[in-house]
Amino acid sequence: MPDIRLTPLGAGQDVGRSCLLLSMGGKNIMLDCGMHMGYNDERRFPDFSYIVPEGPITSHIDCVIISHFHLDHCGALPYMSEMIGYNGPIYMTHPTKAIAPILLEDMRKVAVERKGESNFFTTQMIKDCMKKVIAVTLHQSVMVDSDIEIKAYYAGHVLGAAMFWIRVGSQSVVYTGDYNMTPDRHLGAAWIDKCRPDLLISESTYATTIRDSKRCRERDFLKKVHECVAKGGKVLIPVFALGRAQELCILLETYWERMNLKYPIYFAVGLTEKANTYYKMFITWTNQKIRKTFVHRNMFDFKHIKPFDKGYIDNPGAMVVFATPGMLHAGLSLQIFKKWASNENNMVIMPGYCVQGTVGHKILGGAKKIEFENRQVVDVKMSVEYMSFSAHADAKGIMQLIQYCEPKNVLLVHGEAEKMEFLKGKIKEEFHIECYMPANGETCTIATPVKIPVDASLSLLKAEAKRYNSLPPDPKRRRLIHGVLVMKDNRITLMDLSEACKELGFNRHILSFTSTVKLDDPGPTVRTIEKLYNLLQEKLSEWTVTLLETRTISVESVEVKIEEESNDQRHKKVLVTWSNQDEDLGAYILGAGDVPAEVTFHRNNEVNQ
Amino acid sequence: MKLYCLSGDPAKPCYVISFKELLIMLDCGLTAQSVLNFLPLPLVQSSKLANFVNWIPSRDHDPQMDGELKECCGRIFIDSAPEFCPPVDKVIDFSEIDVILISNYLNMLALPYITEGTGFNGTVYATEPTLQIGRFFLEELVEYIEAAPKANLASQWKDMTHLLPPPLCDLFKPKSWRHIFSAADVQNSLARVKIAGYDEKLDIFGALQVTPVSSGFCLGSSNWVLSTGHEKIAYVSGSSTLTTHPRPINQSALKHADVVIMAGLTQAPHVNPDTMLGELCMNVAVTLRNGGSVLIPCYPSGVVYDLFECLSKNLDNAGLSLIPMFFISPVADSSLAYSNILAEWLSSGKQNKVYIPDDPFPHAYLVKNARLKHYKRIYSEGFSTDFRQPCVVFCGHPSLRFGDAVHFIELWGNNPQHTIIFTEPDFPYLQALAPFQPLAMKAIYCPIETSLNFQQANKLIKELKPNVLVIPESYTQPPSMAPHKADLVIDQMQDRQVITFKNGEVIKLPLKRKRNRVYLSSELAQSLVPKEISPGTTLSTVTGLLQVKDNLHDIQVFDESTSDSKANVPSCEHVLKKTKYEWGTLDVDMFMKLLVQDGITNLKTKQGSDGSLSIYIPNEKTTIRIDDKNTHISCGGKQSLRLKLRDFLMKCIQTF
């Protein structure tokens, strides 16, 4: 049986650095090409030497698919395409194509200019890389080459996030990227049809979490922010420039409006305006409500939220600041954190997942002292709140997606091992399908039964359907199809025997038999035929027994005739003729006289006695 | 496969095809030319329109009909709410339609007539821009007509058409005309539309796949490809090979179809849209320089976007950049806003702008700078204060029977300084102007339609190479506006069949289905042992369990049911499963050898004159007759002997 092979280069039993290699039907596809935010060394990029020890990988990879613009899904793309070397096609959605290069450039600046790293990709490399990108729209069926077909589905997670269905031959895979099964303030819920893939590759960030209702979490969040600013504290919300930030901004904006609050809210990133322009232009990717109202009121024009200036960090009094990046691993959010952390009046709200190694991860783990590279130590006295606003599917959502698309196998990535283990158990229990969770560098081989497409002659199918429909309905009745499979010029065709003979012009050889039985049955021949006919009809209820005008009984190719012997009314010679295919039937009819109930035949095989 | 033609206007197509027991409607265009026979609906009481005299027939005068017909400059108009000519409803029961495929927003305006109150229960497919912009068109239409209600509805005249002068006496079945649908009907009808993306393969009950592919004509416009594993039908409607704002046409998806149905060619085949655009810009400039204003009747989306772009540039170059442009439509704001969020549906030049990020259409910029101002209606807030002349006004409706355009004609009609420029070719402009005659303002006809002209269509057909081409009959004769231009037809070619149809006709399309896709399970496939019967051709008999679900045929291995009550009666399943077929010639030498080896030596052989060989075993009264194609055993003897002979024969012949 043909296989589907999958090897995570990143995100295998881990969050961050999503990069999966998928092989099926002789094609190799790279799913996402992300970087790890928790590392500053070579571990931050996937290990591409797994593909080829050295040199470009173009000849080994047929296409690259990027699910969304988060750097843990596309951060290594310029490195892979420009520094390792890849010239093949890269597929992503239009919003991803628009936003990804900005985030990449942003990250490059932080890495090169702030951290002084060398051997990093350049601005030009990002541009060159984006030239290789082919943008796709939702549900569009794209033929990568004559064998690979891909199709994007809405994934919710961030603007332009997509799940990809990939088909090679008769095998198919769905890769979810990150997705969200509940609609939020600016994005809709992920959706997929019943595409029944051989394999579903799902993220599992929140494999064990079942989050309470969104409304409760929002109320909680607003209450905490309000309490903190009411007592003069400062609230730091580390976010990524695009995505969660917009949702929380809409949330705070409407709350401030309703409660008539005057505390300043700042959004500390140059991207804001640009980001909001993208949201406006790709409004078809947001949720129904925003799409409906955008003509009259753009949800992304904020009244209360003002741009942040670094000078404000030391301003006295309450304020709320959104700052990037979201995991407190670098940049402005970390800078503000260092300043505000030691004041117990202040608060930091982590609205999303933090990968291991980041400051965000440490403080969420309860660390009270954070040591930095330059030996600087910061006491964490501010309150640390975690609010899961990050738009990933929770356990319920993952199960829901499996139910929607009915995969034959599930493979979990982008999550922590123990949590995956738990979810794996649940999936196996509930859906009775195999579930895999390979670690990085480990290859999963999934056997898939294939169906062989064959062209069947319509007359053969119609004849079967006619036969089937003429019988009284019976749910237990099985439909049988019988024909000849012709393999010629790489085409496989199923047809009727006579069609095959005609089309291929070969000769059948008909093998047939005639046997004679002698019967003792007084009376006219017509009577005997009738008796025989009734007997056969009763015995062979499954078959069509017909009495022809020529006083011949026929069942399939079997013909029963009585040869009248002149001047002998008593003894009759019965001739049974059949072709080799009906041997069983012919032999049975020949012997049918064995146990005649009402009809008594004196049966004698040995005619010459 | 059959095609039902429900619309006589190839520019507003509505066809139904029956295929694989499904009824698929292709477009539902609304023929609106009927409204030209009605009096315009003014926004305010118009003394001019109110003063038209009643028209009374010269004989058989029925006083009941008085007031229904009015006369203006020798033409007769019906004084009633305008009526439309919906698709023919007698040929097919709309409740039985399974699917409606819409190719563009101009070809869906009859949708509420089809889906509402007819028992229709199918699915409508359209692209997102088609749905959105189609909604604008429908809402605008309903709003225009509902805003100027008529006190009396005329209907008596329909019984009297034989008494009326032309063109009213030649009208095609005016009794089938209908009043405009309600806003609720529009909402309900559009709620049935399912959105499809370009190149999305939509499964229709497992019987076929339909795919919209870009047609290059307008935002979201599509041609439809209907395919099964073996047949391919392409419906080409409203296509353009010119470069304007929409995504370019996808030609390769239409290639090598068994059947191409083509409609929606340009209604102005005798002119070039680029020349017309130049002429338009020139006339606008001339009028403005002379202190006059320009009225351009338009639809709320489409070519009007290109007009904004070109005209504003042209006015800039002509030093007329201070002249305001007004866009008045109940859906003007939505139309302008939507056009700039549909980047995925635009030409690559416009698409690339969003990556900067910048608005793809310059009208966003024109609106920001107040060069282009838009209002819902002329009585909307701000319009009267902003309005100043000279100016350029874009507003509906191109028929000049309703909408704000009626007001502007009344306002400007008597002044020869002003100009009205017709760009939409849906209505003959002289007929559109008829109730406003005599008219002093200049009228210029610059039809701008980017859909295929005959030359482009012929070129496209040549490239697509369909087996059969299906077109409206009118495409085989030069158009009525240019009857001597013999090149304005679809070429008849020898290498393909061309079938034509007329309004209300049902025609048979020569698409004979011969094959259907089935799937063998790998288990079944592995159990087969194919035999080569000639070099490169192998055969194997297959007996399997057929499962048909959602029109998908799967063939699997079947296990014989063990619960057979009559154990000794051969079952159908059993016999079929064992069946193999013999072919070729029998190896007679080997057969003789086997007989001898078994000790059957008392044989008599006889060569027949026909080349056959008969072997007689006298002890058993058994004859075996062998020729090239047959072997027959007449066995008078024991069954055991027959079975033995059968075994021998099977060893001497090939089977599959």
Side-chain angles (χ1 to χ4, degrees):
Chain A
M1 262 199 279
D3 297 330
I4 294 176
R5 277 178 301 128
L6 190 114
T7 315
L9 297 186
Q13 301 179 7
D14 184 18
V15 177
R17 205 180 66 177
S18 280
C19 185
L20 312 169
L21 291 181
L22 171 69
S23 304
M24 58 175 167
K27 300 285 173 180
N28 298 312
I29 297 158
M30 183 184 288
L31 304 171
D32 277 337
C33 189
M35 66 178 295
H36 203 295
M37 299 295 181
Y39 299 120
N40 281 327
D41 49 22
E42 77 284 347
R43 283 176 297 173
R44 113 184 106 198
F45 292 135
D47 179 13
F48 295 111
S49 67
Y50 178 91
I51 303 168
V52 232
E54 216 169 318
I57 57 172
T58 308
S59 54
H60 300 268
I61 299 287
D62 293 285
C63 75
V64 175
I65 294 171
I66 302 293
S67 64
H68 62 284
F69 60 64
H70 276 160
L71 293 174
D72 58 334
H73 290 261
C74 71
L77 196 57
Y79 172 75
M80 190 270 304
S81 74
E82 306 310 306
M83 296 173 81
I84 300 281
Y86 170 74
N87 290 320
I90 302 168
Y91 293 91
M92 53 179 79
T93 64
H94 286 267
T96 309
K97 188 185 172 188
I99 296 164
I102 296 172
L103 297 185
L104 286 167
E105 177 60 24
D106 220 41
M107 172 193 55
R108 195 196 67 79
K109 270 191 196 146
V110 172
V112 177
E113 289 167 19
R114 210 168 285 167
K115 294 188 193 157
E117 283 180 51
S118 54
N119 198 24
F120 211 79
F121 50 79
T122 63
T123 306
Q124 189 56 44
M125 285 179 181
I126 298 177
K127 281 186 185 152
D128 292 341
C129 168
M130 294 315 288
K131 279 183 198 144
K132 298 172 185 170
V133 170
I134 300 168
V136 300
T137 51
L138 287 180
H139 302 168
Q140 175 192 11
S141 145
V142 179
M143 295 304 296
V144 174
D145 58 24
S146 55
D147 297 315
I148 311 175
E149 181 182 359
I150 63 171
K151 179 177 175 182
Y153 289 95
Y154 191 75
H157 181 64
V158 286
L159 194 73
M163 307 191 273
F164 279 88
W165 171 83
I166 304 146
R167 179 185 67 85
V168 177
S170 61
Q171 294 170 296
S172 62
V173 169
V174 168
Y175 172 58
T176 64
D178 291 354
Y179 63 104
N180 184 15
M181 295 298 284
T182 46
D184 62 30
R185 276 180 189 267
H186 73 295
L187 295 170
W191 180 86
I192 195 159
D193 52 18
K194 218 171 255 328
C195 55
R196 299 193 178 95
D198 291 305
L199 175 66
L200 171 75
I201 305 168
S202 172
E203 65 134 331
S204 50
T205 321
Y206 291 129
T208 54
T209 326
I210 297 203
R211 287 177 298 166
D212 45 2
S213 93
K214 188 106 188 170
R215 208 168 280 275
C216 290
R217 264 178 292 144
E218 288 176 358
R219 216 174 24 228
D220 240 31
F221 167 76
L222 293 169
K223 202 175 122 202
K224 280 184 177 139
V225 172
H226 195 171
E227 276 169 9
C228 180
V229 289
K231 61 180 185 200
K234 297 174 171 41
V235 181
L236 171 64
I237 309 174
V239 288
F240 286 103
L242 284 136
R244 225 37 34 206
Q246 275 69 28
E247 188 190 354
L248 295 181
C249 283
I250 293 173
L251 194 61
L252 280 186
E253 168 89 8
T254 41
Y255 186 74
W256 251 236
E257 184 86 34
R258 203 175 67 225
M259 306 297 283
N260 199 18
L261 299 181
K262 297 285 180 246
Y263 307 105
I265 307 176
Y266 297 113
F267 200 111
V269 68
L271 271 174
T272 336
E273 203 183 338
K274 238 184 179 182
N276 291 341
T277 316
Y278 282 119
Y279 269 86
K280 210 183 137 188
M281 284 190 184
F282 290 111
I283 213 129
T284 47
W285 287 77
T286 58
N287 69 21
Q288 281 294 329
K289 196 181 154 202
I290 296 187
R291 290 166 63 160
K292 275 204 175 130
T293 55
F294 90 97
V295 176
H296 309 288
R297 182 170 176 275
N298 181 5
M299 281 278 232
F300 301 104
D301 281 339
F302 301 116
K303 249 173 48 190
H304 296 271
I305 302 167
K306 302 275 184 300
F308 185 73
D309 185 286
K310 270 187 199 157
Y312 300 168
I313 296 186
D314 298 320
N315 277 7
M319 66 172 104
V320 180
V321 176
F322 288 94
T324 57
M327 302 184 196
L328 284 182
H329 56 278
L332 189 63
S333 62
L334 188 60
Q335 215 178 327
I336 299 174
F337 171 79
K338 285 179 187 169
K339 290 262 188 183
W340 293 359
S342 51
N343 187 332
E344 57 272 14
N345 272 344
N346 295 343
M347 175 158 65
V348 58
I349 297 180
M350 306 298 299
Y353 186 87
C354 292
V355 301
Q356 249 176 18
T358 59
V359 174
H361 189 265
K362 284 177 197 156
I363 58 168
L364 283 180
K368 288 292 162 208
K369 269 190 199 317
I370 305 285
E371 205 181 314
F372 290 94
E373 284 128 7
N374 51 5
R375 293 251 187 94
Q376 184 192 1
V377 177
V378 171
D379 286 316
V380 185
K381 290 190 186 148
M382 74 198 302
S383 51
V384 177
E385 296 288 345
Y386 173 66
M387 306 236 99
S388 133
F389 275 105
S390 136
H392 291 278
D394 60 3
K396 207 171 114 203
I398 296 170
M399 300 301 265
Q400 214 172 5
L401 188 82
I402 295 174
Q403 205 177 359
Y404 280 2
C405 75
E406 286 187 3
K408 298 189 185 78
N409 298 279
V410 176
L411 188 146
L412 300 176
V413 294
H414 201 280
E416 288 159 25
E418 311 121 65
K419 294 184 181 174
M420 279 184 178
E421 201 70 63
F422 172 82
L423 185 65
K424 180 179 161 178
K426 269 193 76 175
I427 291 171
K428 281 187 167 177
E429 185 189 304
E430 195 156 319
F431 298 104
H432 309 289
I433 51 177
E434 201 49 59
C435 183
Y436 305 84
M437 39 175 284
N440 285 339
E442 189 186 324
T443 300
C444 246
T445 305
I446 294 138
T448 52
V450 283
K451 289 196 220 170
I452 295 123
V454 166
D455 294 339
S457 106
L458 209 58
S459 54
L460 180 73
L461 291 178
K462 279 195 172 158
E464 189 279 336
K466 198 173 160 193
R467 210 162 46 235
Y468 178 75
N469 292 330
S470 66
L471 296 169
D474 174 6
K476 275 193 246 159
R477 177 172 294 123
R478 307 199 293 176
R479 300 178 68 161
L480 277 192
I481 188 119
H482 176 81
V484 179
L485 206 60
V486 178
M487 282 148 276
K488 193 186 174 189
D489 306 331
N490 277 330
R491 282 176 68 101
I492 312 179
T493 319
L494 181 66
M495 53 182 105
D496 189 19
L497 178 69
S498 54
E499 279 178 280
C501 293
K502 209 171 132 196
E503 197 163 313
L504 299 174
F506 72 94
N507 288 330
R508 271 193 63 199
H509 194 98
I510 304 200
L511 196 55
S512 52
F513 306 95
T514 304
S515 268
T516 322
V517 198
K518 211 167 193 186
L519 285 183
D520 276 354
D521 183 42
T525 317
V526 189
R527 274 285 301 147
T528 314
I529 276 284
E530 220 164 81
K531 280 188 205 166
L532 253 177
Y533 174 61
N534 290 337
L535 176 74
L536 288 176
Q537 252 192 336
E538 183 202 334
K539 293 271 176 191
L540 298 170
S541 53
E542 206 187 320
W543 302 84
T544 319
V545 183
T546 36
L547 182 58
L548 303 176
E549 276 179 44
T550 50
R551 290 186 190 162
T552 311
I553 303 167
S554 95
V555 190
E556 298 293 317
S557 75
V558 187
E559 290 192 347
V560 182
K561 261 190 204 163
I562 292 190
E563 214 165 75
E564 285 190 59
E565 288 187 32
S566 53
N567 64 35
D568 187 355
Q569 283 270 317
R570 198 177 159 77
H571 297 289
K572 294 189 176 88
K573 240 165 117 185
V574 181
L575 271 79
V576 185
T577 306
W578 67 94
S579 73
N580 191 31
Q581 279 68 37
D582 287 317
E583 167 68 23
D584 286 0
L585 197 60
Y588 175 79
I589 291 172
L590 194 65
D594 263 350
V595 271
E598 306 96 292
V599 199
T600 42
F601 291 132
H602 175 74
R603 204 178 141 274
N604 198 340
N605 251 340
E606 313 295 314
V607 182
N608 48 347
Q609 266 184 4
Chain B
M1 183 184 167
K2 280 182 187 164
L3 182 138
Y4 303 74
C5 173
L6 310 187
S7 160
D9 183 355
K12 300 282 171 276
C14 182
Y15 311 128
V16 171
I17 54 171
S18 63
F19 184 56
K20 279 188 127 182
E21 285 139 45
L22 292 173
L23 286 179
I24 301 163
M25 181 176 271
L26 305 171
D27 278 334
C28 43
L30 180 63
T31 308
Q33 288 207 8
S34 53
V35 305
L36 293 176
N37 297 296
F38 291 80
L39 276 186
L41 303 177
L43 285 171
V44 285
Q45 267 297 335
S46 156
S47 56
K48 189 181 171 189
L49 292 175
N51 287 338
F52 286 163
V53 291
N54 278 345
W55 183 84
I56 290 162
S58 50
R59 62 186 170 93
D60 297 341
H61 175 229
D62 178 357
Q64 281 236 308
M65 208 178 81
D66 280 358
E68 289 198 351
L69 300 172
K70 306 274 183 177
E71 191 174 352
C72 168
C73 297
R75 273 212 49 175
I76 297 172
F77 296 95
I78 304 145
D79 187 8
S80 179
E83 293 179 28
F84 297 85
C85 182
V88 181
D89 60 354
K90 296 284 183 296
V91 189
I92 218 149
D93 182 353
F94 293 154
S95 68
E96 285 176 4
I97 295 204
D98 298 287
V99 178
I100 301 181
L101 307 177
I102 306 284
S103 56
N104 62 64
Y105 51 77
L106 290 163
N107 287 349
M108 64 181 287
L109 303 186
L111 194 61
Y113 289 133
I114 310 269
T115 62
E116 301 313 299
T118 56
F120 173 81
N121 198 23
T123 313
V124 185
Y125 287 105
T127 62
E128 178 161 12
T130 300
L131 172 62
Q132 294 298 356
I133 300 173
R135 183 187 300 278
F136 299 153
F137 273 66
L138 287 165
E139 284 175 354
E140 189 194 74
L141 196 61
V142 172
E143 150 91 27
Y144 277 156
I145 294 174
E146 285 187 348
K150 277 271 177 190
N152 301 309
L153 297 179
S155 61
Q156 303 290 332
W157 66 273
K158 290 184 186 176
D159 295 323
M160 306 290 198
T161 47
H162 56 285
L163 299 175
L164 307 180
L168 290 185
C169 59
D170 304 324
L171 294 176
F172 181 73
K173 290 188 180 169
K175 284 195 174 170
S176 69
W177 290 4
R178 310 245 323 245
H179 287 288
I180 193 68
F181 24 75
S182 68
D185 282 343
V186 170
Q187 294 311 326
N188 294 339
S189 183
L190 293 181
R192 299 173 189 270
V193 178
K194 278 198 185 156
I195 287 177
Y198 280 155
D199 304 330
E200 176 174 356
K201 292 177 180 166
L202 302 157
D203 181 79
I204 307 296
F205 303 111
L208 69 156
Q209 269 185 345
V210 298
T211 305
V213 296
S214 178
S215 76
F217 170 55
C218 58
L219 272 176
S221 70
S222 39
N223 291 320
W224 287 89
V225 177
L226 291 70
S227 56
T228 67
H230 301 92
E231 299 87 18
K232 179 169 167 181
I233 303 156
Y235 173 55
V236 178
S237 163
S239 297
S240 177
T241 48
L242 301 174
T243 316
T244 55
H245 61 263
R247 261 249 289 258
I249 182 172
N250 176 353
Q251 285 192 29
S252 59
L254 307 171
K255 274 188 183 156
H256 305 299
D258 297 297
V259 175
V260 165
I261 304 166
M262 187 180 253
L265 301 187
T266 179
Q267 298 175 83
H270 53 301
V271 293
N272 175 318
D274 274 333
T275 321
M276 288 295 111
L277 189 60
E279 221 166 276
L280 176 133
C281 289
M282 191 195 72
N283 279 298
V284 171
V286 168
T287 306
L288 293 174
R289 280 216 185 89
N290 293 333
S293 292
V294 181
L295 173 63
I296 303 181
C298 66
Y299 288 121
S301 173
V303 174
V304 72
Y305 300 147
D306 297 314
L307 292 183
F308 294 148
E309 189 170 345
C310 287
L311 199 56
S312 62
K313 262 190 225 151
N314 212 275
L315 293 181
D316 285 346
N317 294 340
L320 293 163
S321 34
L322 292 175
I323 301 291
M325 296 195 285
F326 297 103
F327 178 32
I328 303 161
S329 160
V331 294
D333 52 350
S334 309
S335 167
L336 292 175
Y338 264 101
S339 62
N340 273 323
I341 64 160
L342 299 169
E344 283 139 294
W345 306 89
L346 294 173
S347 62
S348 58
K350 291 222 174 328
Q351 202 174 81
N352 284 334
K353 283 194 167 177
V354 300
Y355 296 135
I356 298 177
D358 202 352
D359 287 305
F361 279 102
H363 53 240
Y365 172 79
L366 296 173
V367 169
K368 237 177 258 166
N369 292 342
R371 274 293 297 282
L372 177 67
K373 295 182 182 177
H374 58 90
Y375 306 88
K376 284 199 181 304
R377 303 298 303 259
I378 47 168
Y379 46 79
S380 295
E381 201 188 323
F383 178 69
S384 49
T385 46
D386 287 347
F387 184 65
R388 62 192 158 86
Q389 300 186 55
C391 62
V392 183
V393 173
F394 295 87
C395 69
H397 182 270
S399 68
L400 303 186
R401 290 301 177 272
F402 36 81
D404 300 274
V406 177
H407 176 80
F408 283 100
I409 297 201
E410 298 220 301
L411 187 70
W412 291 340
N414 293 327
N415 189 338
Q417 273 187 320
H418 302 306
T419 306
I420 177 169
I421 305 180
F422 293 87
T423 59
E424 295 292 345
D426 277 353
F427 303 95
Y429 79 107
L430 286 174
Q431 282 188 49
L433 285 172
F436 302 98
Q437 298 293 2
L439 204 65
M441 92 191 278
K442 269 198 289 296
I444 291 166
Y445 184 57
C446 295
I448 299 175
E449 192 173 353
T450 54
S451 57
L452 296 173
N453 62 29
F454 286 97
Q455 195 192 349
Q456 290 157 346
N458 282 322
K459 185 164 170 274
L460 182 69
I461 294 164
K462 224 180 244 171
E463 281 161 17
L464 298 187
K465 297 191 177 66
N467 287 342
V468 179
L469 177 70
V470 185
I471 49 171
E473 195 182 41
S474 57
Y475 287 169
T476 58
Q477 296 137 15
S480 53
M481 69 194 68
H484 304 300
K485 288 211 141 190
D487 56 328
L488 298 184
V489 295
I490 294 292
D491 297 339
Q492 302 275 347
M493 300 265 281
Q494 277 164 356
D495 58 342
R496 69 168 173 265
Q497 196 181 350
V498 178
I499 299 178
T500 63
F501 55 81
K502 283 190 292 216
N503 193 14
E505 251 183 6
V506 182
I507 56 163
K508 250 198 167 143
L509 298 185
L511 187 69
K512 186 89 185 107
R513 299 205 309 121
K514 289 199 181 110
R515 300 262 191 264
N516 201 2
R517 181 56 53 88
V518 299
Y519 293 91
L520 299 189
S521 76
S522 60
E523 203 189 337
L524 177 62
Q526 274 163 12
S527 72
L528 301 177
V529 189
K531 298 277 172 61
E532 188 165 47
I533 60 152
S534 65
T537 306
T538 54
L539 290 186
S540 171
T541 307
V542 174
T543 307
L545 189 63
L546 180 69
Q547 286 187 335
V548 185
K549 196 178 165 191
D550 301 336
N551 266 321
L552 281 179
H553 293 68
D554 279 320
I555 302 180
Q556 289 162 347
V557 173
F558 81 93
D559 312 305
E560 270 179 77
S561 46
T562 44
S563 60
D564 209 342
S565 51
K566 300 176 220 164
N568 58 340
V569 180
S571 76
C572 239
E573 293 184 355
H574 181 76
V575 169
L576 275 181
K577 193 175 179 182
K578 283 206 330 192
T579 300
K580 293 274 174 220
Y581 297 100
E582 299 80 31
W583 66 279
T585 47
L586 189 82
D587 186 341
V588 180
D589 292 345
M590 185 167 166
F591 180 60
M592 298 299 280
K593 225 157 100 191
L594 287 169
L595 288 178
V596 173
Q597 271 175 11
D598 197 67
I600 306 173
T601 45
N602 186 5
L603 302 170
K604 282 182 189 159
T605 57
K606 197 180 122 200
Q607 204 76 39
S609 55
D610 52 357
S612 66
L613 174 73
S614 296
I615 303 168
Y616 182 58
I617 308 171
N619 293 353
E620 305 283 353
K621 285 209 168 180
T622 292
T623 312
I624 306 155
R625 188 182 172 280
I626 303 167
D627 66 23
D628 275 354
K629 295 179 182 173
N630 299 284
T631 298
H632 186 88
I633 302 172
S634 291
C635 178
K638 301 183 196 86
Q639 283 301 305
S640 55
L641 174 71
R642 188 183 66 79
L643 290 171
K644 193 190 280 174
L645 292 175
R646 178 171 180 265
D647 271 354
F648 290 167
L649 286 170
M650 297 292 283
K651 283 181 186 158
C652 305
I653 188 116
Q654 289 165 289
T655 58
F656 60 82

